Amino acid sequence: MSARGDLAAVVMAGGLGTRMRSSTPKHLHRLLGRRVVDWVLAAASEAGADPVVVVASPHTRDVYEGVRVAVQEQALGTGDAVAAARRALEGFAGRLHVLDAAAPLLTAEHHAALLAEHERQGAQVTILSFVSERPLPYGRVIRGTDGKVESIVEERDASDDERAVRELSSSIYVFDAEPLWLALGSLDAHNAQGEHYLTDTVAHIVANGGRAAAWVCPDELSTLGINTRAELAVAAAELRRRINEAHMLAGVTIVDPEATWIDAGVSLEADSIVHPFTVLRGSTSVAGGAEVGPHVVAIDAAIGEGAIVGPFCYLRPGTVLEARAKAGTFVEIKQSRIGARTKVPHLSYIGDADVGEDTNIGAGNVTANYSHEPGRGKARTTIGRNVRTGVDNTFVAPVTVGDDVWLWSGTVVTDDVPPGSLAGFPPKQVTKEGWVYERGQRGDD
């Protein structure tokens, strides 16, 4: 990686969502728990870039944290975008790593290889290129008879012979700062799009006696720049593969990696097991020995050692399952702590609650977390340790059920229950024989 202070990054993030058919700019779409641009920023930082400047459009200038932001007031082309970053880099004279905010698959290792080639060649500009047999609308890397890079020609401006070139520019570069600023000052808009092309700086640098080089990325997929939702899905699949592979190599069992989606911010300890059709999002953590899935969604949840989750379970933000707790089939939990060895086996909603250890929550239990007291809004339910709730209990918050309590089936708990009590006893069943038939409601009539 690069030494700090010698390398800055400029991330071109002024693009819109036109081909995405979206009101959200393409680089701000979500991708495995991050925005697309956040993957780019993370890789740039890991590669040693400091400072990092994001070139944003006027309406997205306030969506970034921890980086410098330069605003491209008008969309006049990629060259104009990089020129907009110059004031934010006042006095910087090292290398500038220019990145595409919509290219999330390039890793810090890719960037390191590009930077190493720049140094090895003694170049003033080095292009991250790739070879593709597909007819992609990318700039062509033009080399002389000696194999040296001479220029990049955009597809719209290329001749038939130039379009036949299979080495393409990824729009990722390393520049020496001073030659770049000089070249940007020489750009014009005499091209098919009427824009200032950053690609034209390569020919300007060569014409002024500088050296241009290219590092050919061996993996075409990693150079993908997202412009459509179809390409967003391709990037998501590749990032999912990388994330899942890293977890498996670290000792996690993922039964079917292609049917499992795990965000970048999720942590999984060795010897945890994730079953198919499970989605782990946000800052969810899974401790060793826990078993999650199938068909589980967990968001910002903490799943303790040896806990069991699912199948068909929904853990919403703020859920904590302590060691060997269980959240079973068709259970939804949010903003609640479930104590060690406590079971919520099936068909229950537990929200805004604290449940002690060694408790069993019967089928069909619901914590009604909106207070029955006027004006109080949401309130919490507390259920103690070693409690046995009945089938179809409802807890109307705020309410506290003490330790060692048993509850009768069908009970609506509206008052606190002291420890060691048996509570409930809703009205007994009343049967009125023949009531329906007396009113002429026989099924065969």
Side-chain angles (χ1 to χ4, degrees), residues 133-186:
E133 297 305 318
R134 297 182 296 149
L136 298 173
Y138 286 51
R140 269 51 175 185
V141 178
I142 306 302
R143 296 177 181 264
T145 56
D146 58 359
K148 293 181 179 179
V149 174
E150 294 181 344
S151 65
I152 300 173
V153 178
E154 294 287 358
E155 183 187 45
R156 293 188 183 186
D157 301 295
S159 66
D160 290 342
D161 287 343
E162 289 168 335
R163 285 196 181 93
V165 172
R166 300 270 57 88
E167 186 180 2
L168 309 180
S169 169
S170 67
S171 301
I172 311 295
Y173 310 85
V174 177
F175 291 93
D176 286 354
E178 290 307 317
L180 171 62
W181 303 136
L182 181 64
L184 288 172
S186 301

Side-chain angles (χ1 to χ4, degrees), residues 393-413:
N393 286 165
T394 298
F395 302 84
V396 181
V399 69
T400 297
V401 176
D403 296 342
D404 305 309
V405 163
W406 286 25
L407 297 176
W408 202 264
S409 295
T411 298
V412 177
V413 182

Side-chain angles (χ1 to χ4, degrees), residues 15 22 26-27 35 45 91 95 130 156 171 173 178 227 232 262-263 276 296 303 312 387 390 437:
S22 175
K26 57 187 180 180
H27 54 280
R35 301 173 302 180
S45 180
R95 297 165 297 161
F130 63 100
R156 293 188 183 186
S171 301
Y173 310 85
E178 290 307 317
N227 289 296
L232 184 69
I262 301 174
D263 278 2
V296 165
I303 300 170
F312 300 102
V387 171
Y437 292 158

